[in-house]
Amino acid sequence: MPVNDDKTAMHTLRDISELRHTLREHRLRGQRIALVPTMGNLHAGHLALVARARQSADVVVASLFVNPMQFGPGEDLDAYPRTFEADQTQLTEAGCDILFSPTVSALYPNGLDAQTLVHVPEMGEGLCGGSRPGHFDGVSTVVSMLFNLVQPDVAFFGQKDYQQLAVIRKMVSDLHLPIEIIGVPIVRAEDGLALSSRNGYLSQQERAVAPALYQTLCSLRDALEHGESVEQVLHRGHTALYDAGFTPDYLELRDTMLGPVTPSTRHAVLLAAAHLGPARLIDNLSVQLPAATNASHQR
Ligand code: PAF
């Protein structure tokens, strides 16, 4: 039975002890708790996470915290959109029960430099971890704090941040955390652009170009599924992204655990990050590679 079935009773909590006290009561009643961690500026992608959480738990907790630890020097921490009241309204309407939105000093009372870090080796290296050093340490540290504070039975993350999801799954497995992690499919605009808070940085012209990232991935996926060599396809993809006006950060084909693709790999994922104006956009698509042929041997 959802706690917030009248969609009016969402509690916004900023205080750690209040959160713990409130959740203890729910736990004592044997209720299943879901967590949806966010940095706010919510869009339909976040609301899909809340909807999935709503279906699978008695109590839905969303967190809203723009985590300074996961932004590198010169990144968009200050510019990151903060839309607290609109977020509160959307979460209430989505049937969220508790919004936890702590201050930076509540989560990091000793400052960022003195903070104990959670580092997930290997999974966080390369791809976004390669171009954003320290980013995944910031993510895994704050997510493990949120897991400790909320102690959810289940937590929901978007598949758009494919590497983030893989890092969190590994962290949960390595630390034996009793939390089920659910990845929720990417929500796209009608023209295919993956929804992201950072899409708001795009000018009208850039927004018109942005779907080319998804379109390029779709055409590369089709070529790979027809057995074209990975090298050729990725080369063509880089060129297509430059031609459309992007500066690609990476474009890679990996197996679903983010390991290298080998001739025996069938299930793979095509991952891209590319700069467009002030925004760095990421996206990914799953790819079913054909059984080894001459072409796929070139992998
Ligand atoms: O995906 C995000 O919004 C953030 O990386 C997360 C998981 C909320 C951690 O700050």
Side-chain angles (χ1 to χ4, degrees), residues 21-43:
H21 176 78
T22 307
L23 289 175
R24 193 175 308 127
E25 311 250 302
H26 290 297
R27 224 170 275 117
L28 283 174
R29 279 183 231 138
Q31 292 179 313
R32 181 173 156 86
I33 298 172
L35 173 65
V36 179
T38 84
M39 297 207 299
N41 193 236
L42 304 182
H43 50 65

PDB file of all heavy atoms in Angstrom, residues 21-43:
ATOM      1  N   HIS A  21      14.809   8.843  11.305  1.00  0.00           N
ATOM      2  CA  HIS A  21      13.679   8.611  12.210  1.00  0.00           C
ATOM      3  C   HIS A  21      12.436   8.200  11.402  1.00  0.00           C
ATOM      4  O   HIS A  21      11.774   7.211  11.713  1.00  0.00           O
ATOM      5  CB  HIS A  21      13.415   9.890  13.012  1.00  0.00           C
ATOM      6  CG  HIS A  21      12.219   9.777  13.897  1.00  0.00           C
ATOM      7  ND1 HIS A  21      12.247   9.104  15.096  1.00  0.00           N
ATOM      8  CD2 HIS A  21      10.944  10.203  13.733  1.00  0.00           C
ATOM      9  CE1 HIS A  21      11.049   9.134  15.643  1.00  0.00           C
ATOM     10  NE2 HIS A  21      10.231   9.792  14.830  1.00  0.00           N
ATOM     11  N   THR A  22      12.146   8.964  10.349  1.00  0.00           N
ATOM     12  CA  THR A  22      10.958   8.694   9.528  1.00  0.00           C
ATOM     13  C   THR A  22      11.034   7.304   8.901  1.00  0.00           C
ATOM     14  O   THR A  22      10.060   6.547   8.917  1.00  0.00           O
ATOM     15  CB  THR A  22      10.837   9.756   8.399  1.00  0.00           C
ATOM     16  OG1 THR A  22      10.888  11.032   9.014  1.00  0.00           O
ATOM     17  CG2 THR A  22       9.575   9.612   7.593  1.00  0.00           C
ATOM     18  N   LEU A  23      12.217   6.965   8.358  1.00  0.00           N
ATOM     19  CA  LEU A  23      12.319   5.686   7.655  1.00  0.00           C
ATOM     20  C   LEU A  23      12.294   4.506   8.622  1.00  0.00           C
ATOM     21  O   LEU A  23      11.802   3.425   8.279  1.00  0.00           O
ATOM     22  CB  LEU A  23      13.579   5.660   6.789  1.00  0.00           C
ATOM     23  CG  LEU A  23      13.474   6.578   5.560  1.00  0.00           C
ATOM     24  CD1 LEU A  23      14.778   6.619   4.797  1.00  0.00           C
ATOM     25  CD2 LEU A  23      12.343   6.112   4.640  1.00  0.00           C
ATOM     26  N   ARG A  24      12.817   4.748   9.826  1.00  0.00           N
ATOM     27  CA  ARG A  24      12.801   3.664  10.826  1.00  0.00           C
ATOM     28  C   ARG A  24      11.352   3.219  11.078  1.00  0.00           C
ATOM     29  O   ARG A  24      11.055   2.029  11.157  1.00  0.00           O
ATOM     30  CB  ARG A  24      13.458   4.140  12.136  1.00  0.00           C
ATOM     31  CG  ARG A  24      13.763   2.994  13.083  1.00  0.00           C
ATOM     32  CD  ARG A  24      14.515   3.447  14.330  1.00  0.00           C
ATOM     33  NE  ARG A  24      15.707   4.227  14.027  1.00  0.00           N
ATOM     34  CZ  ARG A  24      15.986   5.430  14.532  1.00  0.00           C
ATOM     35  NH1 ARG A  24      15.152   6.011  15.383  1.00  0.00           N
ATOM     36  NH2 ARG A  24      17.090   6.070  14.216  1.00  0.00           N
ATOM     37  N   GLU A  25      10.455   4.182  11.149  1.00  0.00           N
ATOM     38  CA  GLU A  25       9.035   3.860  11.395  1.00  0.00           C
ATOM     39  C   GLU A  25       8.488   2.981  10.267  1.00  0.00           C
ATOM     40  O   GLU A  25       7.793   2.009  10.511  1.00  0.00           O
ATOM     41  CB  GLU A  25       8.197   5.143  11.427  1.00  0.00           C
ATOM     42  CG  GLU A  25       8.770   6.207  12.313  1.00  0.00           C
ATOM     43  CD  GLU A  25       7.950   6.424  13.552  1.00  0.00           C
ATOM     44  OE1 GLU A  25       6.769   6.739  13.391  1.00  0.00           O
ATOM     45  OE2 GLU A  25       8.508   6.249  14.664  1.00  0.00           O
ATOM     46  N   HIS A  26       8.811   3.356   9.024  1.00  0.00           N
ATOM     47  CA  HIS A  26       8.316   2.564   7.884  1.00  0.00           C
ATOM     48  C   HIS A  26       8.906   1.150   7.921  1.00  0.00           C
ATOM     49  O   HIS A  26       8.218   0.175   7.647  1.00  0.00           O
ATOM     50  CB  HIS A  26       8.679   3.242   6.563  1.00  0.00           C
ATOM     51  CG  HIS A  26       7.902   4.505   6.335  1.00  0.00           C
ATOM     52  ND1 HIS A  26       6.539   4.521   6.192  1.00  0.00           N
ATOM     53  CD2 HIS A  26       8.307   5.800   6.224  1.00  0.00           C
ATOM     54  CE1 HIS A  26       6.131   5.768   6.014  1.00  0.00           C
ATOM     55  NE2 HIS A  26       7.188   6.564   6.027  1.00  0.00           N
ATOM     56  N   ARG A  27      10.187   1.085   8.262  1.00  0.00           N
ATOM     57  CA  ARG A  27      10.854  -0.220   8.277  1.00  0.00           C
ATOM     58  C   ARG A  27      10.246  -1.114   9.362  1.00  0.00           C
ATOM     59  O   ARG A  27      10.017  -2.298   9.151  1.00  0.00           O
ATOM     60  CB  ARG A  27      12.352  -0.011   8.523  1.00  0.00           C
ATOM     61  CG  ARG A  27      13.202  -0.855   7.609  1.00  0.00           C
ATOM     62  CD  ARG A  27      14.658  -0.491   7.665  1.00  0.00           C
ATOM     63  NE  ARG A  27      15.002   0.610   6.783  1.00  0.00           N
ATOM     64  CZ  ARG A  27      15.468   1.782   7.185  1.00  0.00           C
ATOM     65  NH1 ARG A  27      15.658   2.047   8.460  1.00  0.00           N
ATOM     66  NH2 ARG A  27      15.739   2.710   6.293  1.00  0.00           N
ATOM     67  N   LEU A  28       9.960  -0.509  10.499  1.00  0.00           N
ATOM     68  CA  LEU A  28       9.352  -1.278  11.596  1.00  0.00           C
ATOM     69  C   LEU A  28       7.995  -1.841  11.184  1.00  0.00           C
ATOM     70  O   LEU A  28       7.589  -2.895  11.658  1.00  0.00           O
ATOM     71  CB  LEU A  28       9.193  -0.393  12.844  1.00  0.00           C
ATOM     72  CG  LEU A  28      10.479  -0.165  13.633  1.00  0.00           C
ATOM     73  CD1 LEU A  28      10.255   0.843  14.750  1.00  0.00           C
ATOM     74  CD2 LEU A  28      11.011  -1.490  14.183  1.00  0.00           C
ATOM     75  N   ARG A  29       7.322  -1.110  10.267  1.00  0.00           N
ATOM     76  CA  ARG A  29       6.024  -1.623   9.777  1.00  0.00           C
ATOM     77  C   ARG A  29       6.226  -2.662   8.667  1.00  0.00           C
ATOM     78  O   ARG A  29       5.270  -3.095   8.046  1.00  0.00           O
ATOM     79  CB  ARG A  29       5.189  -0.465   9.213  1.00  0.00           C
ATOM     80  CG  ARG A  29       4.492   0.324  10.296  1.00  0.00           C
ATOM     81  CD  ARG A  29       3.609   1.414   9.686  1.00  0.00           C
ATOM     82  NE  ARG A  29       3.917   2.677  10.308  1.00  0.00           N
ATOM     83  CZ  ARG A  29       4.044   3.850   9.701  1.00  0.00           C
ATOM     84  NH1 ARG A  29       3.877   3.932   8.405  1.00  0.00           N
ATOM     85  NH2 ARG A  29       4.318   4.927  10.368  1.00  0.00           N
ATOM     86  N   GLY A  30       7.483  -2.971   8.383  1.00  0.00           N
ATOM     87  CA  GLY A  30       7.767  -4.006   7.370  1.00  0.00           C
ATOM     88  C   GLY A  30       7.592  -3.500   5.955  1.00  0.00           C
ATOM     89  O   GLY A  30       7.424  -4.289   5.020  1.00  0.00           O
ATOM     90  N   GLN A  31       7.644  -2.177   5.753  1.00  0.00           N
ATOM     91  CA  GLN A  31       7.411  -1.643   4.410  1.00  0.00           C
ATOM     92  C   GLN A  31       8.690  -1.674   3.566  1.00  0.00           C
ATOM     93  O   GLN A  31       9.793  -1.483   4.092  1.00  0.00           O
ATOM     94  CB  GLN A  31       6.858  -0.219   4.515  1.00  0.00           C
ATOM     95  CG  GLN A  31       5.451  -0.212   5.103  1.00  0.00           C
ATOM     96  CD  GLN A  31       4.893   1.176   5.241  1.00  0.00           C
ATOM     97  OE1 GLN A  31       5.573   2.081   5.735  1.00  0.00           O
ATOM     98  NE2 GLN A  31       3.653   1.360   4.834  1.00  0.00           N
ATOM     99  N   ARG A  32       8.487  -1.907   2.274  1.00  0.00           N
ATOM    100  CA  ARG A  32       9.617  -1.967   1.327  1.00  0.00           C
ATOM    101  C   ARG A  32       9.922  -0.548   0.857  1.00  0.00           C
ATOM    102  O   ARG A  32       9.012   0.195   0.454  1.00  0.00           O
ATOM    103  CB  ARG A  32       9.181  -2.870   0.165  1.00  0.00           C
ATOM    104  CG  ARG A  32      10.216  -3.089  -0.901  1.00  0.00           C
ATOM    105  CD  ARG A  32       9.663  -4.158  -1.873  1.00  0.00           C
ATOM    106  NE  ARG A  32      10.272  -4.052  -3.182  1.00  0.00           N
ATOM    107  CZ  ARG A  32      11.427  -4.638  -3.517  1.00  0.00           C
ATOM    108  NH1 ARG A  32      12.069  -5.360  -2.629  1.00  0.00           N
ATOM    109  NH2 ARG A  32      11.921  -4.488  -4.730  1.00  0.00           N
ATOM    110  N   ILE A  33      11.199  -0.212   0.900  1.00  0.00           N
ATOM    111  CA  ILE A  33      11.603   1.175   0.607  1.00  0.00           C
ATOM    112  C   ILE A  33      12.401   1.234  -0.697  1.00  0.00           C
ATOM    113  O   ILE A  33      13.329   0.453  -0.909  1.00  0.00           O
ATOM    114  CB  ILE A  33      12.451   1.737   1.774  1.00  0.00           C
ATOM    115  CG1 ILE A  33      11.594   1.746   3.055  1.00  0.00           C
ATOM    116  CG2 ILE A  33      12.992   3.128   1.458  1.00  0.00           C
ATOM    117  CD1 ILE A  33      12.342   2.096   4.310  1.00  0.00           C
ATOM    118  N   ALA A  34      12.006   2.170  -1.565  1.00  0.00           N
ATOM    119  CA  ALA A  34      12.728   2.378  -2.831  1.00  0.00           C
ATOM    120  C   ALA A  34      13.408   3.746  -2.792  1.00  0.00           C
ATOM    121  O   ALA A  34      12.865   4.703  -2.234  1.00  0.00           O
ATOM    122  CB  ALA A  34      11.756   2.332  -4.010  1.00  0.00           C
ATOM    123  N   LEU A  35      14.584   3.809  -3.409  1.00  0.00           N
ATOM    124  CA  LEU A  35      15.307   5.089  -3.505  1.00  0.00           C
ATOM    125  C   LEU A  35      15.532   5.447  -4.970  1.00  0.00           C
ATOM    126  O   LEU A  35      15.944   4.606  -5.779  1.00  0.00           O
ATOM    127  CB  LEU A  35      16.671   4.980  -2.796  1.00  0.00           C
ATOM    128  CG  LEU A  35      17.596   6.202  -2.963  1.00  0.00           C
ATOM    129  CD1 LEU A  35      17.001   7.454  -2.292  1.00  0.00           C
ATOM    130  CD2 LEU A  35      18.985   5.926  -2.384  1.00  0.00           C
ATOM    131  N   VAL A  36      15.265   6.716  -5.287  1.00  0.00           N
ATOM    132  CA  VAL A  36      15.585   7.269  -6.613  1.00  0.00           C
ATOM    133  C   VAL A  36      16.530   8.450  -6.382  1.00  0.00           C
ATOM    134  O   VAL A  36      16.083   9.541  -6.040  1.00  0.00           O
ATOM    135  CB  VAL A  36      14.307   7.749  -7.339  1.00  0.00           C
ATOM    136  CG1 VAL A  36      14.659   8.341  -8.700  1.00  0.00           C
ATOM    137  CG2 VAL A  36      13.294   6.617  -7.497  1.00  0.00           C
ATOM    138  N   PRO A  37      17.843   8.230  -6.562  1.00  0.00           N
ATOM    139  CA  PRO A  37      18.779   9.349  -6.357  1.00  0.00           C
ATOM    140  C   PRO A  37      18.769  10.286  -7.568  1.00  0.00           C
ATOM    141  O   PRO A  37      18.803   9.823  -8.709  1.00  0.00           O
ATOM    142  CB  PRO A  37      20.150   8.677  -6.234  1.00  0.00           C
ATOM    143  CG  PRO A  37      19.875   7.211  -6.092  1.00  0.00           C
ATOM    144  CD  PRO A  37      18.565   6.970  -6.781  1.00  0.00           C
ATOM    145  N   THR A  38      18.702  11.589  -7.333  1.00  0.00           N
ATOM    146  CA  THR A  38      18.728  12.555  -8.437  1.00  0.00           C
ATOM    147  C   THR A  38      19.556  13.780  -8.033  1.00  0.00           C
ATOM    148  O   THR A  38      19.826  13.991  -6.859  1.00  0.00           O
ATOM    149  CB  THR A  38      17.309  13.074  -8.833  1.00  0.00           C
ATOM    150  OG1 THR A  38      16.955  14.150  -7.957  1.00  0.00           O
ATOM    151  CG2 THR A  38      16.256  12.001  -8.779  1.00  0.00           C
ATOM    152  N   MET A  39      19.875  14.568  -9.057  1.00  0.00           N
ATOM    153  CA  MET A  39      20.477  15.882  -8.789  1.00  0.00           C
ATOM    154  C   MET A  39      19.471  16.979  -9.132  1.00  0.00           C
ATOM    155  O   MET A  39      19.838  18.133  -9.330  1.00  0.00           O
ATOM    156  CB  MET A  39      21.766  16.061  -9.592  1.00  0.00           C
ATOM    157  CG  MET A  39      22.842  15.047  -9.184  1.00  0.00           C
ATOM    158  SD  MET A  39      24.522  15.608  -9.452  1.00  0.00           S
ATOM    159  CE  MET A  39      24.524  15.864 -11.209  1.00  0.00           C
ATOM    160  N   GLY A  40      18.196  16.609  -9.237  1.00  0.00           N
ATOM    161  CA  GLY A  40      17.152  17.606  -9.484  1.00  0.00           C
ATOM    162  C   GLY A  40      17.051  17.995 -10.944  1.00  0.00           C
ATOM    163  O   GLY A  40      17.544  17.294 -11.835  1.00  0.00           O
ATOM    164  N   ASN A  41      16.351  19.128 -11.190  1.00  0.00           N
ATOM    165  CA  ASN A  41      16.019  19.568 -12.554  1.00  0.00           C
ATOM    166  C   ASN A  41      15.352  18.399 -13.306  1.00  0.00           C
ATOM    167  O   ASN A  41      15.801  17.963 -14.357  1.00  0.00           O
ATOM    168  CB  ASN A  41      17.259  20.088 -13.296  1.00  0.00           C
ATOM    169  CG  ASN A  41      16.862  20.819 -14.562  1.00  0.00           C
ATOM    170  OD1 ASN A  41      17.306  20.493 -15.654  1.00  0.00           O
ATOM    171  ND2 ASN A  41      15.996  21.800 -14.437  1.00  0.00           N
ATOM    172  N   LEU A  42      14.298  17.920 -12.694  1.00  0.00           N
ATOM    173  CA  LEU A  42      13.708  16.648 -13.119  1.00  0.00           C
ATOM    174  C   LEU A  42      13.011  16.745 -14.479  1.00  0.00           C
ATOM    175  O   LEU A  42      12.418  17.772 -14.807  1.00  0.00           O
ATOM    176  CB  LEU A  42      12.702  16.188 -12.063  1.00  0.00           C
ATOM    177  CG  LEU A  42      13.273  16.062 -10.650  1.00  0.00           C
ATOM    178  CD1 LEU A  42      12.200  15.553  -9.698  1.00  0.00           C
ATOM    179  CD2 LEU A  42      14.499  15.160 -10.604  1.00  0.00           C
ATOM    180  N   HIS A  43      13.109  15.669 -15.227  1.00  0.00           N
ATOM    181  CA  HIS A  43      12.421  15.549 -16.513  1.00  0.00           C
ATOM    182  C   HIS A  43      11.778  14.168 -16.566  1.00  0.00           C
ATOM    183  O   HIS A  43      11.838  13.401 -15.573  1.00  0.00           O
ATOM    184  CB  HIS A  43      13.402  15.781 -17.667  1.00  0.00           C
ATOM    185  CG  HIS A  43      14.658  14.967 -17.568  1.00  0.00           C
ATOM    186  ND1 HIS A  43      14.663  13.598 -17.649  1.00  0.00           N
ATOM    187  CD2 HIS A  43      15.953  15.339 -17.364  1.00  0.00           C
ATOM    188  CE1 HIS A  43      15.891  13.153 -17.525  1.00  0.00           C
ATOM    189  NE2 HIS A  43      16.703  14.183 -17.325  1.00  0.00           N
TER     190      HIS A  43
END
